Amino acid sequence: MPQVILIISENIDISTDIVMDWIDHFGGIAIRVNPDTRFAFKKLVIDYKGVNSLSFEVNHLEYRGDDIAAFWYRRGFIPMNIPDIPLETLSESICTTVKDHLSRELESLHQTISSILKNKRSIGRSDNQLNKLCVLLLAKSVGIDIPRTWIVTDKKDVRQILDEGNSVITKSIVDNLSIVKNMGINSSLWVTYTEDLIGHDLQGNDSCFPSLVQEKLHKSFEIRIFFLNSVCYSMAIFSQLDNQTSTDFRKYNSVKPNRTVPFTLPVDVSDKLIKLMSSLNLNTGSIDMVYTTDGSYVFLEVNPVGQFGMVSEPCNYKLEKIIAKYLVCNE
């Protein structure tokens, strides 16, 4: 069997479609595993005397670890289902406990498979869950400017921050909350964004759930950076010129989109980002920064599986071609 490129992705990811077209252009063979792909784990042997071996099936075709030339973890997961447990023999609470245990077993196996494949020519990794607060601390430790950040449990602390003349925003400590309401043609999606925090938001009881409050930066423009193998592909986003997008550019204005242009980071900023990504053991990710009106480059966060099509197309970077060429040709 010729060697193939294994891609873990999701059905709706258009960037994966384009990369696969380029893989075909370069003469490579890609197999894509989406959450609904028929995937069957067969065997893993960890041999202290020799080479580890791995085998699995995708759509009824069997592959061994040696068949995989390169691996791209784009997003999603390897679909491995938990078997049904007969409720008539066990109570519901015991079934739930057993299923939780089996879920952790599969998660551990998933991470092990990804770890083995990561030793191939690879992009991304599935065990990439980042703690945003820890990443901020790490960015600070490598010399990157970060916004002043508070985690508060008392609204009086926020009032004091505002009384001191600070402008602040609030956002999730983890990823944004997304809720699908209803299903079918009447479905709607609720998403949390970064929001300005002002005085009248602080009414009611003083105590609150631990919440992130962050210095609001005075932006000249935002920067979205697609990072791949120590190269920063950057794009300036002039989101501050539109009230709809000034606090969070993801509140896209489809009628009058933000102006976006290719941008080159100063070498010292790129070097610090390379150091940060190395510390996070990431060779790819989408990084958000702000260039402030006083001339500072301020790091906000990195998303290991962020969208890069939004950078590739307007800046003509052809990132999909670059990814495919690396996976196929190691160039």
Side-chain angles (χ1 to χ4, degrees), residues 52-79:
N52 303 326
S53 65
L54 167 69
S55 60
F56 57 87
E57 288 183 359
V58 177
N59 295 327
H60 302 297
L61 292 177
E62 183 165 345
Y63 299 91
R64 297 174 292 108
D66 292 343
D67 299 327
I68 309 302
F71 173 61
W72 179 29
Y73 175 76
R74 168 67 185 113
R75 51 175 49 198
F77 55 89
I78 298 174

mmCIF file of all heavy atoms in Angstrom, residues 52-79:
data_model
loop_
_atom_site.group_PDB
_atom_site.id
_atom_site.type_symbol
_atom_site.label_atom_id
_atom_site.label_comp_id
_atom_site.label_asym_id
_atom_site.label_seq_id
_atom_site.Cartn_x
_atom_site.Cartn_y
_atom_site.Cartn_z
ATOM 1 N N ASN A 52 7.101 0.165 17.731
ATOM 2 C CA ASN A 52 5.677 0.110 18.059
ATOM 3 C C ASN A 52 4.879 -0.133 16.782
ATOM 4 O O ASN A 52 5.282 0.290 15.689
ATOM 5 C CB ASN A 52 5.231 1.415 18.703
ATOM 6 C CG ASN A 52 6.030 1.737 19.946
ATOM 7 O OD1 ASN A 52 6.425 0.828 20.674
ATOM 8 N ND2 ASN A 52 6.258 3.016 20.181
ATOM 9 N N SER A 53 3.756 -0.793 16.902
ATOM 10 C CA SER A 53 2.925 -1.013 15.718
ATOM 11 C C SER A 53 1.490 -0.601 16.019
ATOM 12 O O SER A 53 1.002 -0.761 17.141
ATOM 13 C CB SER A 53 2.978 -2.477 15.278
ATOM 14 O OG SER A 53 2.400 -3.316 16.263
ATOM 15 N N LEU A 54 0.856 -0.072 14.998
ATOM 16 C CA LEU A 54 -0.499 0.455 15.121
ATOM 17 C C LEU A 54 -1.276 0.031 13.888
ATOM 18 O O LEU A 54 -0.752 0.062 12.762
ATOM 19 C CB LEU A 54 -0.448 1.989 15.207
ATOM 20 C CG LEU A 54 -1.749 2.766 15.041
ATOM 21 C CD1 LEU A 54 -2.656 2.528 16.252
ATOM 22 C CD2 LEU A 54 -1.454 4.262 14.887
ATOM 23 N N SER A 55 -2.517 -0.394 14.071
ATOM 24 C CA SER A 55 -3.359 -0.709 12.915
ATOM 25 C C SER A 55 -4.789 -0.250 13.185
ATOM 26 O O SER A 55 -5.268 -0.306 14.318
ATOM 27 C CB SER A 55 -3.323 -2.205 12.597
ATOM 28 O OG SER A 55 -3.800 -2.959 13.690
ATOM 29 N N PHE A 56 -5.444 0.192 12.115
ATOM 30 C CA PHE A 56 -6.826 0.678 12.220
ATOM 31 C C PHE A 56 -7.472 0.617 10.848
ATOM 32 O O PHE A 56 -6.787 0.434 9.824
ATOM 33 C CB PHE A 56 -6.867 2.109 12.772
ATOM 34 C CG PHE A 56 -6.065 3.101 11.972
ATOM 35 C CD1 PHE A 56 -6.612 3.759 10.889
ATOM 36 C CD2 PHE A 56 -4.741 3.356 12.302
ATOM 37 C CE1 PHE A 56 -5.873 4.659 10.154
ATOM 38 C CE2 PHE A 56 -3.984 4.263 11.567
ATOM 39 C CZ PHE A 56 -4.549 4.921 10.506
ATOM 40 N N GLU A 57 -8.776 0.743 10.817
ATOM 41 C CA GLU A 57 -9.513 0.751 9.556
ATOM 42 C C GLU A 57 -10.226 2.086 9.378
ATOM 43 O O GLU A 57 -10.780 2.637 10.342
ATOM 44 C CB GLU A 57 -10.555 -0.369 9.530
ATOM 45 C CG GLU A 57 -9.969 -1.760 9.377
ATOM 46 C CD GLU A 57 -11.046 -2.825 9.291
ATOM 47 O OE1 GLU A 57 -12.249 -2.472 9.377
ATOM 48 O OE2 GLU A 57 -10.696 -4.004 9.156
ATOM 49 N N VAL A 58 -10.203 2.581 8.158
ATOM 50 C CA VAL A 58 -10.996 3.762 7.789
ATOM 51 C C VAL A 58 -11.843 3.359 6.593
ATOM 52 O O VAL A 58 -11.281 2.969 5.549
ATOM 53 C CB VAL A 58 -10.107 4.972 7.435
ATOM 54 C CG1 VAL A 58 -10.973 6.154 6.985
ATOM 55 C CG2 VAL A 58 -9.242 5.371 8.617
ATOM 56 N N ASN A 59 -13.142 3.408 6.764
ATOM 57 C CA ASN A 59 -14.071 2.997 5.700
ATOM 58 C C ASN A 59 -13.719 1.605 5.168
ATOM 59 O O ASN A 59 -13.608 1.389 3.951
ATOM 60 C CB ASN A 59 -14.080 4.037 4.569
ATOM 61 C CG ASN A 59 -14.637 5.365 5.033
ATOM 62 O OD1 ASN A 59 -15.521 5.420 5.894
ATOM 63 N ND2 ASN A 59 -14.103 6.456 4.503
ATOM 64 N N HIS A 60 -13.466 0.686 6.103
ATOM 65 C CA HIS A 60 -13.227 -0.733 5.820
ATOM 66 C C HIS A 60 -11.859 -1.017 5.194
ATOM 67 O O HIS A 60 -11.586 -2.158 4.829
ATOM 68 C CB HIS A 60 -14.328 -1.325 4.911
ATOM 69 C CG HIS A 60 -15.707 -1.197 5.490
ATOM 70 N ND1 HIS A 60 -16.088 -1.811 6.657
ATOM 71 C CD2 HIS A 60 -16.780 -0.483 5.072
ATOM 72 C CE1 HIS A 60 -17.348 -1.514 6.925
ATOM 73 N NE2 HIS A 60 -17.796 -0.702 5.985
ATOM 74 N N LEU A 61 -11.020 -0.025 5.024
ATOM 75 C CA LEU A 61 -9.661 -0.262 4.535
ATOM 76 C C LEU A 61 -8.705 -0.232 5.718
ATOM 77 O O LEU A 61 -8.757 0.692 6.534
ATOM 78 C CB LEU A 61 -9.260 0.807 3.508
ATOM 79 C CG LEU A 61 -9.995 0.773 2.172
ATOM 80 C CD1 LEU A 61 -9.547 1.942 1.296
ATOM 81 C CD2 LEU A 61 -9.737 -0.550 1.441
ATOM 82 N N GLU A 62 -7.853 -1.258 5.801
ATOM 83 C CA GLU A 62 -6.950 -1.333 6.944
ATOM 84 C C GLU A 62 -5.641 -0.596 6.660
ATOM 85 O O GLU A 62 -5.080 -0.697 5.562
ATOM 86 C CB GLU A 62 -6.656 -2.797 7.298
ATOM 87 C CG GLU A 62 -5.764 -2.911 8.547
ATOM 88 C CD GLU A 62 -5.749 -4.303 9.144
ATOM 89 O OE1 GLU A 62 -6.628 -5.108 8.784
ATOM 90 O OE2 GLU A 62 -4.872 -4.565 9.992
ATOM 91 N N TYR A 63 -5.178 0.127 7.667
ATOM 92 C CA TYR A 63 -3.910 0.858 7.585
ATOM 93 C C TYR A 63 -3.061 0.482 8.782
ATOM 94 O O TYR A 63 -3.570 0.183 9.865
ATOM 95 C CB TYR A 63 -4.146 2.377 7.580
ATOM 96 C CG TYR A 63 -4.955 2.869 6.415
ATOM 97 C CD1 TYR A 63 -6.348 2.956 6.516
ATOM 98 C CD2 TYR A 63 -4.345 3.252 5.230
ATOM 99 C CE1 TYR A 63 -7.109 3.408 5.450
ATOM 100 C CE2 TYR A 63 -5.097 3.709 4.158
ATOM 101 C CZ TYR A 63 -6.473 3.791 4.269
ATOM 102 O OH TYR A 63 -7.221 4.232 3.216
ATOM 103 N N ARG A 64 -1.751 0.483 8.587
ATOM 104 C CA ARG A 64 -0.806 0.311 9.670
ATOM 105 C C ARG A 64 -0.050 1.622 9.867
ATOM 106 O O ARG A 64 -0.034 2.491 8.978
ATOM 107 C CB ARG A 64 0.170 -0.821 9.336
ATOM 108 C CG ARG A 64 -0.477 -2.200 9.184
ATOM 109 C CD ARG A 64 0.515 -3.248 8.708
ATOM 110 N NE ARG A 64 0.925 -2.983 7.332
ATOM 111 C CZ ARG A 64 2.124 -2.539 6.982
ATOM 112 N NH1 ARG A 64 3.032 -2.313 7.904
ATOM 113 N NH2 ARG A 64 2.417 -2.327 5.717
ATOM 114 N N GLY A 65 0.555 1.739 11.006
ATOM 115 C CA GLY A 65 1.300 2.964 11.291
ATOM 116 C C GLY A 65 2.327 3.265 10.213
ATOM 117 O O GLY A 65 2.549 4.434 9.846
ATOM 118 N N ASP A 66 2.956 2.203 9.672
ATOM 119 C CA ASP A 66 3.974 2.403 8.634
ATOM 120 C C ASP A 66 3.388 2.934 7.335
ATOM 121 O O ASP A 66 4.123 3.423 6.466
ATOM 122 C CB ASP A 66 4.703 1.080 8.349
ATOM 123 C CG ASP A 66 5.560 0.642 9.528
ATOM 124 O OD1 ASP A 66 5.838 1.492 10.393
ATOM 125 O OD2 ASP A 66 5.939 -0.547 9.579
ATOM 126 N N ASP A 67 2.074 2.807 7.172
ATOM 127 C CA ASP A 67 1.433 3.312 5.951
ATOM 128 C C ASP A 67 1.273 4.834 5.983
ATOM 129 O O ASP A 67 0.950 5.439 4.960
ATOM 130 C CB ASP A 67 0.043 2.685 5.768
ATOM 131 C CG ASP A 67 0.106 1.172 5.631
ATOM 132 O OD1 ASP A 67 1.098 0.684 5.066
ATOM 133 O OD2 ASP A 67 -0.836 0.499 6.106
ATOM 134 N N ILE A 68 1.424 5.423 7.151
ATOM 135 C CA ILE A 68 1.175 6.854 7.304
ATOM 136 C C ILE A 68 2.476 7.627 7.107
ATOM 137 O O ILE A 68 3.426 7.496 7.889
ATOM 138 C CB ILE A 68 0.596 7.174 8.706
ATOM 139 C CG1 ILE A 68 -0.604 6.266 9.008
ATOM 140 C CG2 ILE A 68 0.200 8.649 8.792
ATOM 141 C CD1 ILE A 68 -1.735 6.365 8.019
ATOM 142 N N ALA A 69 2.523 8.440 6.049
ATOM 143 C CA ALA A 69 3.718 9.240 5.776
ATOM 144 C C ALA A 69 3.689 10.549 6.540
ATOM 145 O O ALA A 69 4.746 11.073 6.940
ATOM 146 C CB ALA A 69 3.817 9.524 4.270
ATOM 147 N N ALA A 70 2.507 11.103 6.720
ATOM 148 C CA ALA A 70 2.389 12.393 7.387
ATOM 149 C C ALA A 70 1.023 12.476 8.066
ATOM 150 O O ALA A 70 0.082 11.750 7.692
ATOM 151 C CB ALA A 70 2.565 13.540 6.394
ATOM 152 N N PHE A 71 0.933 13.346 9.051
ATOM 153 C CA PHE A 71 -0.281 13.445 9.867
ATOM 154 C C PHE A 71 -0.610 14.914 10.086
ATOM 155 O O PHE A 71 0.260 15.713 10.439
ATOM 156 C CB PHE A 71 -0.033 12.751 11.214
ATOM 157 C CG PHE A 71 -1.141 12.916 12.215
ATOM 158 C CD1 PHE A 71 -2.417 12.447 11.949
ATOM 159 C CD2 PHE A 71 -0.891 13.517 13.446
ATOM 160 C CE1 PHE A 71 -3.433 12.596 12.889
ATOM 161 C CE2 PHE A 71 -1.892 13.663 14.387
ATOM 162 C CZ PHE A 71 -3.165 13.202 14.113
ATOM 163 N N TRP A 72 -1.889 15.247 9.832
ATOM 164 C CA TRP A 72 -2.347 16.617 10.100
ATOM 165 C C TRP A 72 -3.555 16.542 11.023
ATOM 166 O O TRP A 72 -4.598 16.034 10.621
ATOM 167 C CB TRP A 72 -2.717 17.327 8.791
ATOM 168 C CG TRP A 72 -3.228 18.733 8.969
ATOM 169 C CD1 TRP A 72 -2.916 19.603 9.970
ATOM 170 C CD2 TRP A 72 -4.136 19.436 8.117
ATOM 171 N NE1 TRP A 72 -3.555 20.807 9.801
ATOM 172 C CE2 TRP A 72 -4.315 20.728 8.668
ATOM 173 C CE3 TRP A 72 -4.810 19.105 6.941
ATOM 174 C CZ2 TRP A 72 -5.153 21.678 8.084
ATOM 175 C CZ3 TRP A 72 -5.643 20.057 6.355
ATOM 176 C CH2 TRP A 72 -5.803 21.327 6.908
ATOM 177 N N TYR A 73 -3.383 17.025 12.257
ATOM 178 C CA TYR A 73 -4.542 17.165 13.132
ATOM 179 C C TYR A 73 -5.093 18.567 12.904
ATOM 180 O O TYR A 73 -4.543 19.551 13.401
ATOM 181 C CB TYR A 73 -4.191 16.967 14.618
ATOM 182 C CG TYR A 73 -5.402 17.251 15.478
ATOM 183 C CD1 TYR A 73 -6.424 16.316 15.564
ATOM 184 C CD2 TYR A 73 -5.554 18.475 16.127
ATOM 185 C CE1 TYR A 73 -7.573 16.594 16.281
ATOM 186 C CE2 TYR A 73 -6.700 18.760 16.846
ATOM 187 C CZ TYR A 73 -7.695 17.814 16.917
ATOM 188 O OH TYR A 73 -8.837 18.099 17.626
ATOM 189 N N ARG A 74 -6.164 18.635 12.124
ATOM 190 C CA ARG A 74 -6.775 19.940 11.846
ATOM 191 C C ARG A 74 -7.712 20.342 12.984
ATOM 192 O O ARG A 74 -7.598 21.411 13.538
ATOM 193 C CB ARG A 74 -7.532 19.860 10.500
ATOM 194 C CG ARG A 74 -8.450 21.019 10.210
ATOM 195 C CD ARG A 74 -7.666 22.301 9.994
ATOM 196 N NE ARG A 74 -8.575 23.428 9.844
ATOM 197 C CZ ARG A 74 -8.677 24.429 10.720
ATOM 198 N NH1 ARG A 74 -7.898 24.478 11.788
ATOM 199 N NH2 ARG A 74 -9.536 25.412 10.521
ATOM 200 N N ARG A 75 -8.657 19.486 13.323
ATOM 201 C CA ARG A 75 -9.593 19.698 14.420
ATOM 202 C C ARG A 75 -10.484 18.465 14.538
ATOM 203 O O ARG A 75 -10.371 17.529 13.766
ATOM 204 C CB ARG A 75 -10.452 20.946 14.203
ATOM 205 C CG ARG A 75 -11.132 21.016 12.849
ATOM 206 C CD ARG A 75 -12.058 22.209 12.725
ATOM 207 N NE ARG A 75 -11.432 23.451 13.149
ATOM 208 C CZ ARG A 75 -12.118 24.556 13.455
ATOM 209 N NH1 ARG A 75 -13.437 24.538 13.383
ATOM 210 N NH2 ARG A 75 -11.516 25.663 13.819
ATOM 211 N N GLY A 76 -11.360 18.425 15.515
ATOM 212 C CA GLY A 76 -12.262 17.292 15.672
ATOM 213 C C GLY A 76 -11.622 16.176 16.482
ATOM 214 O O GLY A 76 -10.738 16.408 17.312
ATOM 215 N N PHE A 77 -12.031 14.943 16.230
ATOM 216 C CA PHE A 77 -11.553 13.818 17.016
ATOM 217 C C PHE A 77 -11.629 12.537 16.184
ATOM 218 O O PHE A 77 -12.316 12.479 15.158
ATOM 219 C CB PHE A 77 -12.392 13.661 18.292
ATOM 220 C CG PHE A 77 -13.868 13.533 18.037
ATOM 221 C CD1 PHE A 77 -14.455 12.297 17.828
ATOM 222 C CD2 PHE A 77 -14.673 14.673 17.979
ATOM 223 C CE1 PHE A 77 -15.814 12.180 17.583
ATOM 224 C CE2 PHE A 77 -16.038 14.574 17.733
ATOM 225 C CZ PHE A 77 -16.614 13.320 17.534
ATOM 226 N N ILE A 78 -10.888 11.530 16.648
ATOM 227 C CA ILE A 78 -10.969 10.218 16.022
ATOM 228 C C ILE A 78 -12.219 9.532 16.563
ATOM 229 O O ILE A 78 -12.352 9.335 17.767
ATOM 230 C CB ILE A 78 -9.719 9.381 16.341
ATOM 231 C CG1 ILE A 78 -8.462 10.058 15.778
ATOM 232 C CG2 ILE A 78 -9.856 7.978 15.763
ATOM 233 C CD1 ILE A 78 -7.169 9.378 16.182
ATOM 234 N N PRO A 79 -13.180 9.176 15.687
ATOM 235 C CA PRO A 79 -14.446 8.619 16.183
ATOM 236 C C PRO A 79 -14.291 7.179 16.658
ATOM 237 O O PRO A 79 -14.081 6.268 15.860
ATOM 238 C CB PRO A 79 -15.366 8.715 14.957
ATOM 239 C CG PRO A 79 -14.441 8.696 13.779
ATOM 240 C CD PRO A 79 -13.163 9.329 14.219
#
